[in-house]
Amino acid sequence: MVRGNLTESLPVSLGNASCSRCGEGFGVKEPIVNSGGEVWHTKCFVCAQCFQPFPEGIFYEFEGRKYCEHDFHVLFAPCCGSCNEFIIGRVIKAMNNNWHPNCFKCELCSSVLSDSGFVRNAGRALCHECNDREKAAGAGKYVCHKCHAIIEDGHIKFHAETYHPYHFNCKNCGVELDVEAREKEGELYCLRCHDKMGIPICGACRRPIEDARIINALGKQWHVEHFVCAKCEKPFLGSRHYEKKGLAYCEIHYHQLFGNVCYVCNQVVTGDVFQALNKSWCVQHFACSLCDIKMGPKTKFYELDLKPVCKKCYERFPGELKRRLAKAFKTSPRK
């Protein structure tokens, strides 16, 4: 198979030369097509299958015939068993099918098998490591994550992986490890060696912070997703936090617990705040709880059920109610 491009068409006189397709000669200065040492009438230089001119002058030649790209694919090019696209170039033939090199993958871990080889397992193409795991699982055993061999007797589990006991050791000092081992770039380390590497430990989960993103707060270091509000436990994710007694709070809960949140709108009071009845109010929200008339800092008011009542509404109360209020709260106008 040869892929070619249409060579230039020139108005020339070729004497006794004849068209490679129809066998007829050429007129004086008639445009011709020159391809691979052969000449053609422009109308004769077409796909051998669909008899249409070649799009953009690109054609494929097979056994002396020229085809457009579409018909060549349909007639001769294999189809990939994974993506169902035509394969041009290197073809992987395996599992009774054809594949693009990057489409032939292990059915369990999806690693490319074109160069590493594969094992047929129950009608599946598997890489050697996955095949070893399948064999071990069938025998009720494990495969060592370090050497990839079947573990015959005794194993250690770490991060969902299993190891021979003699393969679960510190990369730096070689000491045998336990479940408190630390991992960095795929290698295992004891706590002592790991700490010497200067890797920060998260203040929440106590695991190493190997991500480039790190939070420094409250005198500790944190994974971004583990630095959360002590009240709602939502991550701050870069938003502002407030500290109180060694804990971090989001803005809303900090002000609810320690600051000024308006009793009416439940929003943080960012401007002037009005303090009354052991509550905080936005200046524009401090109003009589009965008639809703706005009251200012110098307005006299009374207390009823821990809510403010203006003097005008209070004067409308029955005498008995006012006497009970006076007795219970020693009621007098407040400022």
Coordinates of all heavy atoms in Angstrom, one line a residue, residues 173-238:
C173 N 16.4 3.4 55.4 CA 17.2 2.7 56.4 C 17.0 1.2 56.4 O 17.7 0.4 57.1 CB 16.9 3.2 57.8 SG 15.3 2.9 58.4
G174 N 15.9 0.7 55.7 CA 15.7 -0.7 55.6 C 15.0 -1.4 56.7 O 14.7 -2.6 56.7
V175 N 14.6 -0.6 57.7 CA 13.9 -1.1 58.9 C 12.5 -1.7 58.5 O 11.9 -1.1 57.6 CB 13.8 -0.1 60.0 CG1 12.8 1.0 59.6 CG2 13.4 -0.7 61.3
E176 N 12.1 -2.8 59.2 CA 10.8 -3.3 58.9 C 9.7 -2.4 59.3 O 9.8 -1.8 60.4 CB 10.6 -4.7 59.6 CG 9.3 -5.4 59.2 CD 9.3 -6.8 59.9 OE1 10.3 -7.4 60.0 OE2 8.2 -7.2 60.3
L177 N 8.7 -2.2 58.5 CA 7.7 -1.2 58.8 C 6.4 -1.8 59.3 O 6.2 -3.0 59.3 CB 7.3 -0.4 57.5 CG 8.5 0.3 56.8 CD1 8.1 0.8 55.4 CD2 9.0 1.4 57.7
D178 N 5.5 -1.0 59.8 CA 4.2 -1.4 60.2 C 3.2 -0.5 59.6 O 3.5 0.2 58.6 CB 4.1 -1.4 61.8 CG 4.4 0.0 62.4 OD1 4.3 1.0 61.6 OD2 4.8 0.0 63.5
V179 N 1.9 -0.5 60.1 CA 0.9 0.3 59.4 C 1.1 1.8 59.6 O 0.4 2.6 58.9 CB -0.5 -0.1 60.0 CG1 -0.9 -1.5 59.6 CG2 -0.5 0.1 61.5
E180 N 2.0 2.2 60.4 CA 2.3 3.6 60.5 C 3.3 4.1 59.5 O 3.9 5.2 59.6 CB 2.9 3.9 62.0 CG 1.8 3.7 63.0 CD 0.6 4.6 62.9 OE1 0.8 5.8 62.5 OE2 -0.5 4.2 63.1
A181 N 3.6 3.3 58.5 CA 4.6 3.7 57.5 C 4.1 4.9 56.7 O 2.9 5.2 56.7 CB 4.8 2.5 56.5
R182 N 5.0 5.6 56.1 CA 4.7 6.8 55.3 C 5.1 6.5 53.9 O 6.1 5.7 53.6 CB 5.4 8.0 55.8 CG 5.0 8.4 57.2 CD 3.7 9.1 57.2 NE 3.3 9.7 58.5 CZ 2.5 9.1 59.4 NH1 2.0 7.9 59.1 NH2 2.2 9.7 60.5
E183 N 4.4 7.1 52.9 CA 4.7 6.8 51.5 C 5.0 8.2 50.8 O 4.4 9.2 51.1 CB 3.5 6.2 50.8 CG 3.7 5.8 49.4 CD 2.5 5.1 48.8 OE1 1.5 5.0 49.5 OE2 2.7 4.7 47.6
K184 N 6.0 8.2 50.0 CA 6.4 9.3 49.2 C 6.9 8.9 47.8 O 7.8 8.1 47.7 CB 7.5 10.2 49.9 CG 7.9 11.4 49.1 CD 8.9 12.3 49.8 CE 9.4 13.4 48.9 NZ 8.4 14.3 48.4
E185 N 6.2 9.4 46.8 CA 6.5 9.1 45.4 C 6.7 7.6 45.2 O 7.6 7.1 44.5 CB 7.8 9.8 45.0 CG 7.7 11.3 45.0 CD 9.0 12.0 44.7 OE1 10.1 11.3 44.6 OE2 9.0 13.2 44.6
G186 N 5.7 6.8 45.8 CA 5.7 5.4 45.5 C 6.6 4.6 46.4 O 6.6 3.3 46.3
E187 N 7.4 5.2 47.2 CA 8.4 4.5 48.1 C 7.9 4.6 49.6 O 7.3 5.6 49.9 CB 9.8 5.1 48.0 CG 10.4 4.9 46.6 CD 10.7 3.5 46.2 OE1 10.6 2.6 47.0 OE2 10.9 3.3 45.0
L188 N 8.3 3.6 50.4 CA 7.9 3.5 51.8 C 9.0 4.0 52.7 O 10.2 3.6 52.4 CB 7.4 2.1 52.1 CG 6.2 1.6 51.3 CD1 6.0 0.1 51.6 CD2 5.0 2.3 51.7
Y189 N 8.6 4.7 53.8 CA 9.6 5.1 54.7 C 9.1 5.0 56.1 O 7.9 5.0 56.4 CB 9.9 6.6 54.5 CG 10.5 6.9 53.1 CD1 9.7 7.2 52.1 CD2 11.9 6.9 53.0 CE1 10.3 7.5 50.8 CE2 12.5 7.2 51.7 CZ 11.7 7.5 50.6 OH 12.2 7.7 49.4
C190 N 10.0 4.8 57.1 CA 9.6 4.8 58.5 C 9.4 6.2 58.9 O 9.7 7.1 58.2 CB 10.7 4.1 59.3 SG 12.3 5.0 59.4
L191 N 8.7 6.4 60.1 CA 8.4 7.7 60.5 C 9.6 8.6 60.7 O 9.6 9.8 60.4 CB 7.6 7.6 61.9 CG 6.2 7.0 61.8 CD1 5.6 6.9 63.2 CD2 5.3 7.7 60.8
R192 N 10.7 8.0 61.3 CA 11.9 8.8 61.5 C 12.5 9.3 60.2 O 12.8 10.5 60.1 CB 12.9 7.9 62.3 CG 14.1 8.6 62.7 CD 15.0 7.8 63.6 NE 16.2 8.4 64.0 CZ 17.1 7.9 64.8 NH1 17.0 6.7 65.2 NH2 18.2 8.6 65.2
C193 N 12.6 8.4 59.2 CA 13.2 8.9 58.0 C 12.3 9.8 57.2 O 12.8 10.8 56.6 CB 13.5 7.7 57.1 SG 14.9 6.6 57.7
H194 N 11.0 9.6 57.4 CA 10.1 10.5 56.7 C 10.1 11.9 57.3 O 10.1 12.9 56.5 CB 8.7 9.9 56.8 CG 7.6 10.6 56.0 ND1 6.9 11.7 56.5 CD2 7.2 10.4 54.7 CE1 6.1 12.1 55.5 NE2 6.2 11.3 54.4
D195 N 10.2 12.0 58.6 CA 10.2 13.3 59.3 C 11.5 14.0 58.9 O 11.5 15.3 58.8 CB 10.1 13.1 60.8 CG 8.8 12.7 61.2 OD1 7.8 12.8 60.4 OD2 8.6 12.2 62.4
K196 N 12.6 13.3 58.7 CA 13.8 14.0 58.3 C 13.7 14.6 56.9 O 14.5 15.5 56.6 CB 15.0 12.9 58.3 CG 15.4 12.5 59.7 CD 16.5 11.5 59.7 CE 17.0 11.1 61.0 NZ 18.1 10.1 61.0
M197 N 12.8 14.1 56.1 CA 12.6 14.6 54.7 C 11.9 16.0 54.7 O 11.7 16.6 53.7 CB 11.9 13.6 53.9 CG 12.6 12.3 53.7 SD 11.6 11.0 53.0 CE 11.5 11.5 51.3
G198 N 11.4 16.4 55.9 CA 10.8 17.7 56.0 C 9.4 17.7 55.4 O 8.9 18.8 55.1
I199 N 8.7 16.6 55.3 CA 7.3 16.6 54.8 C 6.3 17.0 55.9 O 6.3 16.4 56.9 CB 7.0 15.2 54.2 CG1 8.0 14.9 53.1 CG2 5.6 15.2 53.6 CD1 7.8 13.5 52.5
P200 N 5.5 18.0 55.7 CA 4.6 18.4 56.7 C 3.5 17.4 57.0 O 3.1 16.6 56.1 CB 4.0 19.7 56.1 CG 4.1 19.6 54.6 CD 5.4 18.8 54.4
I201 N 3.0 17.4 58.2 CA 1.9 16.5 58.6 C 0.6 17.3 58.8 O 0.7 18.3 59.5 CB 2.3 15.7 59.9 CG1 3.6 14.9 59.6 CG2 1.2 14.8 60.3 CD1 3.5 13.9 58.6
C202 N -0.5 16.8 58.3 CA -1.8 17.5 58.5 C -2.2 17.5 59.9 O -2.2 16.5 60.6 CB -2.8 16.8 57.6 SG -4.5 17.5 57.7
G203 N -2.7 18.7 60.4 CA -3.1 18.8 61.8 C -4.4 18.1 62.0 O -4.8 17.9 63.2
A204 N -5.1 17.6 61.0 CA -6.4 16.9 61.2 C -6.2 15.4 61.1 O -6.6 14.7 62.0 CB -7.4 17.4 60.2
C205 N -5.7 15.0 59.9 CA -5.7 13.5 59.7 C -4.4 12.9 60.1 O -4.2 11.7 60.1 CB -6.0 13.2 58.2 SG -4.7 13.7 57.1
R206 N -3.4 13.7 60.4 CA -2.0 13.3 60.8 C -1.3 12.5 59.7 O -0.4 11.7 60.0 CB -2.1 12.4 62.1 CG -2.8 13.1 63.3 CD -2.2 14.4 63.6 NE -0.8 14.3 63.9 CZ 0.0 15.4 64.0 NH1 -0.4 16.6 63.7 NH2 1.3 15.2 64.2
R207 N -1.7 12.7 58.5 CA -1.1 12.1 57.4 C -0.2 13.1 56.7 O -0.4 14.3 56.8 CB -2.1 11.5 56.4 CG -3.1 10.5 56.9 CD -2.4 9.3 57.4 NE -1.6 8.6 56.4 CZ -0.8 7.5 56.6 NH1 -0.7 7.1 57.8 NH2 -0.2 7.0 55.6
P208 N 0.8 12.6 55.9 CA 1.7 13.6 55.2 C 1.0 14.4 54.2 O 0.0 14.0 53.6 CB 2.7 12.7 54.5 CG 2.7 11.4 55.2 CD 1.3 11.2 55.7
I209 N 1.4 15.7 54.0 CA 0.8 16.6 53.0 C 1.8 16.6 51.8 O 2.8 17.3 51.8 CB 0.6 18.0 53.6 CG1 -0.2 17.9 54.8 CG2 -0.1 18.9 52.5 CD1 -0.4 19.3 55.5
E210 N 1.5 15.8 50.8 CA 2.3 15.7 49.7 C 1.9 16.5 48.5 O 2.5 16.6 47.5 CB 2.5 14.2 49.3 CG 3.1 13.3 50.4 CD 3.3 11.9 50.0 OE1 2.8 11.5 48.9 OE2 3.8 11.1 50.8
D211 N 0.6 17.1 48.6 CA 0.1 18.0 47.6 C 0.9 19.3 47.7 O 1.4 19.7 48.7 CB -1.4 18.2 47.9 CG -2.1 18.8 46.6 OD1 -1.4 19.5 45.9 OD2 -3.3 18.5 46.5
A212 N 0.9 20.0 46.5 CA 1.6 21.3 46.5 C 0.8 22.3 47.3 O 1.3 23.3 47.8 CB 1.7 21.8 45.0
R213 N -0.5 22.1 47.4 CA -1.4 23.0 48.2 C -1.3 22.7 49.7 O -1.4 21.5 50.0 CB -2.8 23.0 47.7 CG -3.0 23.3 46.2 CD -4.4 23.2 45.8 NE -4.9 21.8 46.1 CZ -6.2 21.5 46.1 NH1 -7.1 22.4 45.9 NH2 -6.6 20.3 46.3
I214 N -1.1 23.7 50.5 CA -1.0 23.4 51.9 C -1.5 24.7 52.6 O -1.3 25.8 52.2 CB 0.5 23.1 52.3 CG1 0.6 22.8 53.8 CG2 1.4 24.3 52.0 CD1 1.9 22.3 54.2
I215 N -2.2 24.5 53.8 CA -2.7 25.6 54.6 C -1.9 25.7 55.9 O -1.7 24.7 56.6 CB -4.2 25.3 55.0 CG1 -5.1 25.2 53.7 CG2 -4.7 26.5 55.9 CD1 -5.1 26.5 52.9
N216 N -1.4 26.9 56.1 CA -0.7 27.2 57.4 C -1.6 28.0 58.3 O -1.9 29.2 57.9 CB 0.6 27.9 57.1 CG 1.6 27.0 56.4 OD1 2.3 26.2 57.1 ND2 1.8 27.2 55.1
A217 N -2.1 27.5 59.4 CA -3.0 28.2 60.2 C -3.0 27.6 61.6 O -2.7 26.4 61.8 CB -4.4 28.2 59.7
L218 N -3.3 28.4 62.6 CA -3.4 27.9 64.0 C -2.1 27.2 64.5 O -2.2 26.3 65.3 CB -4.6 26.9 64.2 CG -6.0 27.4 63.7 CD1 -7.0 26.3 63.8 CD2 -6.4 28.6 64.5
G219 N -1.0 27.6 63.9 CA 0.2 27.0 64.3 C 0.5 25.6 63.7 O 1.4 25.0 64.2
K220 N -0.4 25.2 62.8 CA -0.2 23.9 62.2 C -0.3 24.0 60.7 O -0.5 25.0 60.1 CB -1.3 22.9 62.7 CG -1.3 22.7 64.2 CD -2.5 21.9 64.7 CE -2.5 21.7 66.2 NZ -3.7 20.9 66.6
Q221 N -0.1 22.8 60.0 CA -0.3 22.7 58.6 C -1.4 21.7 58.3 O -1.6 20.7 59.0 CB 1.0 22.3 58.0 CG 2.1 23.3 58.2 CD 3.5 22.9 57.7 OE1 3.9 21.8 58.1 NE2 4.2 23.6 56.9
W222 N -2.1 22.0 57.2 CA -3.3 21.2 56.9 C -3.4 20.9 55.4 O -3.0 21.7 54.6 CB -4.6 22.0 57.3 CG -4.5 22.7 58.6 CD1 -3.9 23.8 58.9 CD2 -5.2 22.3 59.8 NE1 -4.0 24.2 60.3 CE2 -4.8 23.2 60.9 CE3 -6.0 21.2 60.2 CZ2 -5.3 23.1 62.1 CZ3 -6.5 21.1 61.5 CH2 -6.1 22.0 62.4
H223 N -4.1 19.7 55.1 CA -4.6 19.5 53.8 C -5.7 20.5 53.5 O -6.4 20.9 54.4 CB -5.2 18.1 53.6 CG -4.2 17.0 53.6 ND1 -4.0 16.1 54.6 CD2 -3.3 16.6 52.6 CE1 -3.1 15.2 54.3 NE2 -2.6 15.5 53.1
V224 N -5.8 21.0 52.3 CA -6.8 22.0 52.0 C -8.2 21.6 52.4 O -9.0 22.3 53.0 CB -6.7 22.4 50.5 CG1 -7.9 23.3 50.1 CG2 -5.4 23.1 50.1
E225 N -8.5 20.3 52.1 CA -9.8 19.8 52.3 C -10.1 19.5 53.8 O -11.2 19.3 54.2 CB -10.1 18.6 51.5 CG -9.2 17.4 51.8 CD -7.9 17.4 51.0 OE1 -7.5 18.4 50.5 OE2 -7.3 16.3 51.0
H226 N -9.0 19.5 54.6 CA -9.2 19.2 56.0 C -9.2 20.4 56.9 O -9.4 20.3 58.1 CB -8.0 18.2 56.5 CG -8.1 16.8 55.9 ND1 -7.1 15.9 55.9 CD2 -9.2 16.2 55.3 CE1 -7.5 14.8 55.3 NE2 -8.8 15.0 55.0
F227 N -8.9 21.6 56.4 CA -9.0 22.8 57.2 C -10.4 23.3 57.1 O -10.8 23.9 56.1 CB -8.0 23.8 56.7 CG -7.9 25.0 57.5 CD1 -7.6 24.9 58.9 CD2 -8.1 26.3 57.0 CE1 -7.5 26.1 59.7 CE2 -8.0 27.4 57.8 CZ -7.7 27.3 59.1
V228 N -11.2 23.0 58.2 CA -12.7 23.3 58.1 C -13.1 24.1 59.3 O -12.4 24.3 60.3 CB -13.4 21.9 58.1 CG1 -13.0 21.1 56.9 CG2 -13.2 21.2 59.4
C229 N -14.3 24.6 59.2 CA -14.9 25.4 60.3 C -15.2 24.4 61.5 O -15.8 23.3 61.3 CB -16.2 26.1 59.8 SG -17.2 26.8 61.1
A230 N -14.9 24.9 62.7 CA -15.1 24.0 63.9 C -16.6 23.8 64.1 O -17.0 22.9 64.9 CB -14.4 24.6 65.1
K231 N -17.5 24.6 63.6 CA -18.9 24.5 63.8 C -19.6 23.7 62.7 O -20.3 22.7 63.0 CB -19.5 25.9 63.9 CG -21.1 25.9 64.2 CD -21.4 25.4 65.5 CE -22.9 25.5 65.7 NZ -23.4 24.9 67.0
C232 N -19.5 24.1 61.5 CA -20.2 23.5 60.4 C -19.4 22.5 59.6 O -19.9 21.7 58.8 CB -20.8 24.5 59.4 SG -19.5 25.5 58.5
E233 N -18.1 22.4 59.9 CA -17.2 21.5 59.3 C -17.1 21.6 57.8 O -16.7 20.6 57.1 CB -17.5 20.0 59.7 CG -17.5 19.8 61.2 CD -17.7 18.4 61.6 OE1 -18.1 17.6 60.7 OE2 -17.5 18.0 62.8
K234 N -17.3 22.7 57.2 CA -17.2 22.9 55.8 C -15.8 23.5 55.5 O -15.3 24.4 56.3 CB -18.2 23.9 55.3 CG -19.6 23.4 55.3 CD -20.6 24.4 54.7 CE -22.0 23.8 54.6 NZ -23.0 24.8 54.1
P235 N -15.1 23.0 54.5 CA -13.7 23.5 54.2 C -13.7 25.0 53.8 O -14.7 25.4 53.2 CB -13.3 22.6 53.0 CG -14.1 21.4 53.1 CD -15.4 21.8 53.6
F236 N -12.7 25.7 54.3 CA -12.7 27.1 53.9 C -12.3 27.3 52.4 O -12.7 28.3 51.8 CB -11.6 27.8 54.8 CG -12.0 27.8 56.3 CD1 -11.4 27.0 57.2 CD2 -13.0 28.7 56.7 CE1 -11.7 27.1 58.5 CE2 -13.4 28.7 58.0 CZ -12.7 27.9 58.9
L237 N -11.5 26.4 51.9 CA -11.1 26.4 50.5 C -10.6 27.8 50.1 O -11.0 28.4 49.0 CB -12.2 26.0 49.6 CG -12.8 24.6 49.8 CD1 -13.9 24.3 48.9 CD2 -11.6 23.6 49.6
G238 N -9.8 28.4 50.9 CA -9.2 29.7 50.6 C -10.0 30.9 51.1 O -9.5 32.0 51.0

